[in-house]
Amino acid sequence: MTPAISVSGLTRRYRGQAALDDVTLDIEAAAITGLLGRNGAGKTTFMRIIAGQEFASAGRVRVLGASPVDNEEVLRRMVFVREDQAFPDFKVRHALQTASWFYPNWDSDFADALRADFGLPPNRAIKRLSRGMRSALGVVIGLAARAEVTLFDEPYAGLDPVARQLFYDRLLSDYAEHPRTMLLSTHLIDEVAGLLERVVIIDSGRIVLDAAADDVRGSVTAVSGPAAAVAEFMADRHAWSRRSVASQESVVIAGALGDSDLARARELRLSLEPLSLQQVVVQTARRPQAERTSA
């Protein structure tokens, strides 16, 4: 299947500093992909270039098979919603009506239902909305557009936990009925972990992990116990990280553990704890650059 988003050698420099450094990545169609990483890792720059809102310094970008730059045919099939989304001096209902003219797959009934779900007053000026309500308006537009490529760059960060859960629920249920390519950027990693089909981790402008979410879940484990027992268990294994306190040691290892590994850990009285997706992101970012391309 042709990827919905494909970049090759993508680089973006600001005054000599590389925000994106030779990124090559394919994002498959009709899947929910998480673009994860710490602040300043390059997530927003990547999304802005994909959305045609910023130029690359080098490299090739294709969205739905074509360059998004000044390409109305591609841009009308894509929606990009940001945390700091700017709106004209409109009322809520005007913003939704304007969006309906631009996006060919717009669903007005769904937009009205979402607006009601989030408690958005249709006749209130957007400039008078709270930060959470402005975030909710962006979410409504992003979902109701039903664009073939949907980009969410942390627009839900301004929502409270109840509203965020509402967003996740509505996204998942609508995606099940209307599959499309969704790329979610977030630092609330464990909250969205259950939504993701693919995980892309970016750090210092480089892709350090690109894998199916199911392959990532449970693939990294913390092994803890007496230092001597940990050393015995770790024979011929590579540790992502190590931490020692007195005679106890904890190491992080990648890769699936088989029945024999589990039995050996029990025999040595070691604790095995799978890392959450957020912990995997943290551990991946901490690894030396030379080691990051290996699992």
Side-chain angles (χ1 to χ4, degrees), residues 108-179:
S108 295
D109 291 339
F110 187 37
D112 288 341
L114 289 169
R115 182 193 56 74
D117 286 341
F118 285 104
L120 284 168
N123 292 312
R124 184 171 298 178
I126 295 174
K127 65 183 178 182
R128 296 189 180 278
L129 295 177
S130 66
R131 180 189 177 213
M133 283 191 171
R134 287 196 302 273
S135 294
L137 179 58
V139 162
V140 170
I141 292 172
L143 290 177
R146 288 194 176 138
E148 293 173 62
V149 173
T150 299
L151 310 176
F152 283 113
D153 186 17
E154 304 210 57
Y156 29 82
L159 301 177
D160 61 39
V162 173
R164 288 201 305 271
Q165 188 58 54
L166 177 62
F167 165 64
Y168 303 145
D169 291 344
R170 295 296 181 269
L171 180 152
L172 201 55
S173 61
D174 196 62
Y175 172 79
E177 293 186 17
H178 304 277

Side-chain angles (χ1 to χ4, degrees), residues 29-52:
I32 302 176
T33 299
L35 183 64
L36 311 178
R38 51 190 170 181
N39 290 340
K43 303 187 300 296
T44 295
T45 300
F46 180 83
M47 285 193 160
R48 283 180 56 84
I49 291 174
I50 294 304

